[in-house]
Amino acid sequence: MIRGFLQRLRAQSGGIWWYTLLGFVAARMGEIVNFYIGVILVPKHLPASDLGAIQPLLTVGGFFAFPIAILLIPVGKFLSVFAARGETGKVKALLSDALCLNALFAVVVAIWLYVSGDALLLRLHVTDRRILIPVAAFAVLSCAEPIISTAQKALKCFRSMIVSGMVAPYVRLAAMLLLLAPFGVFGYLSAQLATTLFGVGCAGVALVLVLRKCGGRTSYRADIRDMVVYSLPLLALTLAGRVTGPAEAFIMRHRLPEEVTAGYYFSTMFGAIPGYATSALLAFFWPIVSEKFEKGESTRRLLAQSLAFNLVIGVAALVATALVVPYVFRMPGPWAGYREYARYVAPAGLITLLANIQGTYTAHESACRRFVYVWYCVPISLIEAALLYGLPAIGPATPYVPDFVTSFVTAHWHNTLPMFLGLIIAFKALGVVAMAIDWWFAYHRAERN
C-alpha cells in the first residue's frame, strides 16, 4: 500500500519534485548532526577568536580557483547536453579532459599558496600555516566538485546523490570528533575536506559504473565553437562571483573585531535554517531544466513552481526561525555569551533566502542558454564587492579620492556588523528585483510571440 502510494506520488509530482522530496528527507536526517557540529562541537573545541575565521577560510579557496573556473565554464552545461543527446562518449571525453586540466591546476595553486599564503593568513588573523593545505585543496575542489556533480546529475545518478547526502553528515561528525580537538581550525578544515572528498568519491564511483558501459571516448571537437559561444556571457559573471562571494565573508573577518565575527558565526548557523528546504531543490533543478530545454520542452511552469517554492517555504522558515531563535539564545549553551547576536539571525537567513532565489533563476536561464541576466547581475555584484572592499578602506585612500567622497563616507559609513549586513542585503534584494523585472519582460515577449 505504501509502495503504491509512493509510486503514484512519483508519477504525479514529476522528476524534480520527487527527487527534491527524497533529497530533502535525506538532508534533514543529517541536519541535526551538522547543527550539532556547528553550534555545539565547534564552539566547544575552538576559541571564540577562531570562530569568525571558519567561513572565510572555507570560501576563499574559490577566489584562487577562478582562473581554472573560467576555462571550465561550459563543462557543466555540455555534459548535460551530451547526456540529453545520448552521446555518452562525449560525456566521457569532456569529463576526463576537465579533470586532467583541474589536476594540473592543483599543482599551480599549491605552489602559489605555499609561496604567498602568509599574507592571506595575516588578514584572517590566523597563524597556523598548515591551514594552507586544506585551503589549497578547497580551491581545487571548488572546480572539480561541480564538474563531477554535474556529470552525476546529467547521467541521472540521483540515487548515489541521495545516499551520499544521507551518509556525509556522519562522515563529517566522525572526522570532527577525531580532528577538531587536537588540531583546532586545521582539524576543522581537514574534517570538512574529508567530507567533501567522500562526496566526490561517491559521485566518482557512480560515474565509473555508468560510463564503463558506454564504450570509448568520442571527440567533441565539433562542439567547441558552441562551447565558446556559451561561455562568453558567463565569463564576466564567473569573475564577479569569484570576487564577491569571498568578499562577503572575508571583509567582515578582516575589518570587525574577533568577538563580533564569533557572535555572527552563531547567527549564520541558525540563519542557515531557512535555506534547508530550498537547497534540496537546487540540487536537482539545473540538470532537469537543461534536459527539458535541449528536448524542446517548455520550462516556464517549472521555473514558476520552483520560485514559488523558494519564496513560500523560505519566508515561512525565516519567520519561524526569527521568532524562535531569540528564546534559544537565552538557553544554556555555547551561544549564551552572544545573546545580542540573536537579532542578526533573521538578516543572515534573509541573505540565504535571496541568494537561493537568485540561484534558482540564474540556473534556469543558463540551462536554457539565455544570458540577459548577466547584464545586470555582473554590475550589481561588482559594485557590491567594490563597496565592501572600498568603504572600510576610505581612510588610507583619502589622497586618491575627492574630498566630498571622503567626507560623505566618513559621515555615513562605520565598520559595524549592521552596516555590512545592510549592504549585502540591499544588493541581494536589488538582484532579485532586477530578475523579477527581467522575468516579467521575458514572459510578455513570449506571449506576444
Side-chain angles (χ1 to χ4, degrees):
M1 181 177 177
I2 296 177
R3 182 178 181 181
F5 170 76
L6 292 175
Q7 289 176 341
R8 289 194 300 273
L9 177 63
R10 179 175 182 176
Q12 294 172 6
S13 65
I16 187 169
W17 298 113
W18 171 253
Y19 287 111
T20 295
L21 175 62
L22 292 180
F24 177 78
V25 172
R28 298 300 69 77
M29 290 173 64
E31 213 59 67
I32 296 175
V33 176
N34 288 331
F35 189 79
Y36 168 77
I37 292 171
V39 178
I40 304 294
L41 194 61
V42 171
K44 178 181 178 181
H45 294 291
L46 293 186
S49 59
D50 287 342
L51 292 179
I54 289 176
Q55 193 59 35
L57 286 169
L58 290 174
T59 58
V60 75
F63 175 79
F64 296 112
F66 79 84
I68 191 68
I70 292 171
L71 294 176
L72 298 178
I73 286 173
V75 172
K77 172 62 179 176
F78 279 83
L79 285 173
S80 293
V81 170
F82 296 151
R85 296 175 184 169
E87 298 173 336
T88 52
K90 291 184 178 181
V91 171
K92 183 179 290 187
L94 181 57
L95 179 60
S96 61
D97 290 348
L99 292 178
C100 287
L101 191 62
N102 201 70
L104 293 175
F105 170 75
V107 177
V108 175
V109 76
I111 295 173
W112 190 89
L113 279 172
Y114 179 80
V115 172
S116 60
D118 289 335
L120 170 66
L121 299 182
L122 178 65
R123 285 163 175 77
L124 292 175
H125 313 299
V126 176
T127 57
D128 189 349
R129 208 169 190 275
R130 294 176 301 174
I131 286 173
L132 293 175
I133 298 172
V135 167
F138 281 124
V140 174
L141 287 174
S142 68
C143 292
E145 193 275 335
I147 295 170
I148 296 174
S149 178
T150 301
Q152 190 181 18
K153 296 169 186 175
L155 296 172
K156 296 186 177 180
C157 303
F158 292 147
R159 290 184 180 178
S160 62
M161 292 174 59
I162 294 169
V163 170
S164 175
M166 292 174 62
V167 178
Y170 303 98
V171 173
R172 184 170 180 245
L173 176 60
M176 289 289 179
L177 291 172
L178 287 172
L179 301 174
L180 189 57
F183 299 110
V185 174
F186 174 70
Y188 178 92
L189 294 175
S190 299
Q192 289 288 108
L193 180 61
T195 308
T196 304
L197 289 173
F198 170 78
V200 170
C202 287
V205 171
L207 289 174
V208 168
L209 293 176
V210 171
L211 290 175
R212 71 179 182 178
K213 304 174 183 177
C214 300
R217 292 166 51 109
T218 303
S219 173
Y220 53 88
R221 182 177 299 179
D223 300 281
I224 290 179
R225 183 179 181 279
D226 287 343
M227 295 170 72
V228 172
V229 171
Y230 176 84
S231 300
L232 289 177
L234 293 176
L235 176 60
L237 187 69
T238 301
L239 289 172
R242 295 284 172 169
V243 172
T244 305
E248 293 177 354
F250 178 84
I251 292 299
M252 284 193 278
R253 174 65 178 179
H254 182 43
R255 296 293 182 180
L256 296 177
E258 290 179 351
E259 61 270 18
V260 175
T261 56
Y264 184 59
Y265 166 83
F266 287 102
S267 301
T268 57
M269 289 295 101
F270 287 99
I273 293 174
Y276 287 167
T278 53
S279 61
L281 168 67
L282 284 174
F284 305 100
F285 182 71
W286 195 92
I288 291 177
V289 171
S290 180
E291 182 181 27
K292 283 181 173 291
F293 175 79
E294 298 301 332
K295 292 180 177 180
E297 301 175 11
S298 174
T299 60
R300 186 187 306 172
R301 183 178 178 183
L302 184 57
L303 174 61
Q305 291 175 342
S306 301
L307 290 174
F309 179 82
N310 270 283
L311 190 61
V312 174
I313 301 298
V315 169
L318 179 60
V319 172
T321 302
L323 292 174
V324 172
V325 163
Y327 297 98
V328 176
F329 268 71
R330 296 173 192 168
M331 298 177 181
W335 54 78
Y338 301 97
R339 292 178 183 177
E340 67 269 27
Y341 291 92
R343 65 179 182 269
Y344 298 116
V345 170
L350 181 59
I351 291 172
T352 300
L353 174 61
L354 293 173
N356 281 346
I357 291 173
Q358 289 186 23
T360 299
Y361 186 78
T362 57
H364 175 272
E365 294 299 284
S366 62
C368 297
R369 307 198 196 194
R370 293 192 292 265
F371 302 104
V372 173
Y373 69 89
V374 172
W375 293 100
Y376 54 82
C377 279
V378 168
I380 290 172
S381 183
L382 290 179
I383 292 171
E384 179 193 349
L387 291 176
L388 285 172
Y389 281 115
L391 291 177
I394 194 65
T398 298
Y400 309 102
V401 297
D403 291 340
F404 74 91
V405 174
T406 303
S407 300
F408 180 84
V409 172
T410 303
H412 294 87
W413 175 266
H414 307 284
N415 288 341
T416 63
L417 184 57
M419 282 282 188
F420 282 112
L421 292 179
L423 181 64
I424 294 171
I425 289 172
F427 277 90
K428 289 286 188 290
L430 180 61
V432 170
V433 170
M435 289 175 186
I437 295 172
D438 179 20
W439 190 26
W440 188 86
F441 278 108
Y443 176 81
H444 284 276
R445 282 195 301 270
E447 289 290 309
R448 286 194 297 268
N449 295 333

